[in-house]
Amino acid sequence: MLRPASAEQLGPRVPLEQAQGRALGTIWRLLGRARSGRPSANSLLGATELPPRKAPCFGGLWVGPVSALGFRLVSTVQATMATVSGITVVLNCKNVVYDRHWLAVEYIWVLVPYMTYDIYVMYLCHWHKSRDRGVAEEKHSLASVRSFLLQERLMVTHHLFILVVLTPVTQHFRGELGDFFVGCIFTAELSTPFVSLGKILMQLKMQDTLLHKVNGILILVTFFLCRILLFPFMYAAYARQGSASLGTGRLSSRIAPAPRILPPAGGQEPARRRLVRQRRDIPAGIQRCGT
């Protein structure tokens, strides 16, 4: 029968933060050795936690190289999900105006909490970088928030625009129209995984590798396709839909028919039409004489 080990057998108890530091420091050292291609048993066995100023800890969340890697992995997962959702919506919406797909509505509720989370993560990274530089600002203070907004104003504006403008438009103001275009907007995230991979490679000091160069080419291609050519593609799809409707000679059944022109009240015909009818009744010879 197995018995639990005693306190003497287990040895002294190690604090949780110190144990986390040692584990994450070992992982980081493994990544560095894998990059250099020169693993060393002595260096691996001697790996300890990273210095506190390089990797501070707050609330059990590690802020340093390993956590930065985790943040970028989260961004990559979200971008992949958004891209797959967008492609699914685009392929299933044949009519770019009226066809519906549930992902165009439901995935917004994944995007909203992610954008909120990403703003907070950017603030935490900014605060810890400022503390490492010797700037003594209290966390969550007005001064630290102001400094963060000034330094990251473009990214914060981008995230707030999605939360404050695009979310109400996609969920309420557009009604039941345009799921195809919402899916196109989702596919704009295709370049994000490659951007995150590029930052990870730079963090691992792998700027001179072939992988980093290939990744840079993929960033340029995906950014050009999904952030620049995306809008001409949407315009062309809308124009093609309109041309197809006109070419068939009939309007879509979902478009309301044109209102009928009713005759004037009281049975009175317009003066111009009455004059044309009277001229039609006059014999041709009399008309020539009159002219």
Side-chain angles (χ1 to χ4, degrees):
M1 180 178 179
L2 297 177
R3 296 181 181 179
S6 61
E8 292 79 7
Q9 294 174 340
L10 292 175
R13 181 172 299 176
V14 179
L16 177 60
E17 293 184 1
Q18 185 177 356
Q20 289 177 342
R22 290 180 179 178
L24 293 174
T26 303
I27 294 173
W28 188 247
R29 186 70 62 86
L30 283 170
L31 291 174
R33 291 298 173 180
R35 174 191 61 82
S36 61
R38 297 187 303 272
S40 172
N42 293 332
S43 61
L44 296 180
L45 292 175
T48 57
E49 67 270 16
L50 299 177
R53 290 184 61 80
K54 294 297 182 181
C57 187
F58 63 99
L61 181 61
W62 189 268
V63 174
V66 177
S67 275
L69 179 65
F71 297 153
R72 286 161 188 153
L73 288 177
V74 172
S75 177
T76 300
V77 171
Q78 188 282 137
T80 303
M81 293 171 57
T83 303
V84 172
S85 300
I87 293 174
T88 303
V89 174
V90 169
L91 293 179
N92 284 276
C93 291
K94 305 303 180 184
N95 189 312
V96 301
V97 178
Y98 297 106
D99 282 355
R100 304 300 310 278
H101 195 280
W102 64 272
L103 278 174
V105 178
E106 300 302 330
Y107 190 77
I108 296 294
W109 302 118
V110 178
L111 195 61
V112 168
Y114 168 76
M115 289 297 172
T116 307
Y117 149 85
D118 202 40
I119 292 175
Y120 185 62
V121 165
M122 288 191 298
Y123 166 75
L124 292 178
C125 292
H126 168 79
W127 183 80
H128 282 282
K129 289 178 182 178
S130 300
R131 192 179 70 170
D132 290 343
R133 291 194 301 264
V135 180
E137 292 179 349
E138 185 179 356
K139 187 165 63 174
H140 300 152
S141 64
L142 184 60
S144 64
V145 173
R146 185 186 300 112
S147 174
F148 163 69
L149 294 177
L150 289 175
Q151 184 171 346
E152 302 289 345
R153 55 183 177 274
L154 292 179
M155 289 300 296
V156 172
T157 302
H158 168 267
H159 285 41
L160 290 179
F161 181 79
I162 292 176
L163 293 174
V164 177
V165 178
L166 291 186
T167 299
V169 168
T170 56
Q171 294 299 104
H172 177 70
F173 293 109
R174 71 183 180 94
E176 297 183 353
L177 306 177
D179 282 12
F180 173 86
F181 301 105
V182 176
C184 290
I185 297 299
F186 287 166
T187 61
E189 291 290 326
L190 180 60
S191 61
T192 302
F194 302 105
V195 174
S196 299
L197 178 59
K199 293 181 178 180
I200 292 173
L201 294 176
M202 293 176 63
Q203 188 176 347
L204 295 175
K205 309 298 182 183
M206 299 176 64
Q207 296 93 326
D208 299 330
T209 61
L210 179 61
L211 177 60
H212 187 266
K213 296 176 182 178
V214 173
N215 185 71
I217 296 174
L218 291 175
I219 290 175
L220 293 177
V221 172
T222 54
F223 189 90
F224 181 74
L225 291 177
C226 297
R227 304 278 178 127
I228 298 177
L229 287 185
L230 176 67
F231 295 97
F233 169 75
M234 291 191 293
Y235 295 143
Y238 184 73
R240 185 168 59 251
Q241 183 72 40
S243 300
S245 299
L246 293 176
T248 56
R250 61 179 184 275
L251 296 175
S252 173
S253 60
R254 302 190 186 187
I255 302 178
R260 297 177 58 187
I261 301 177
L262 300 177
Q268 299 178 359
E269 58 181 346
R272 181 179 178 82
R273 184 181 300 174
R274 184 169 59 252
L275 180 61
V276 171
R277 183 176 56 81
Q278 292 174 354
R279 286 179 62 86
R280 191 185 306 116
D281 296 338
I282 298 176
I286 299 177
Q287 289 185 16
R288 285 194 297 269
C289 293
T291 57

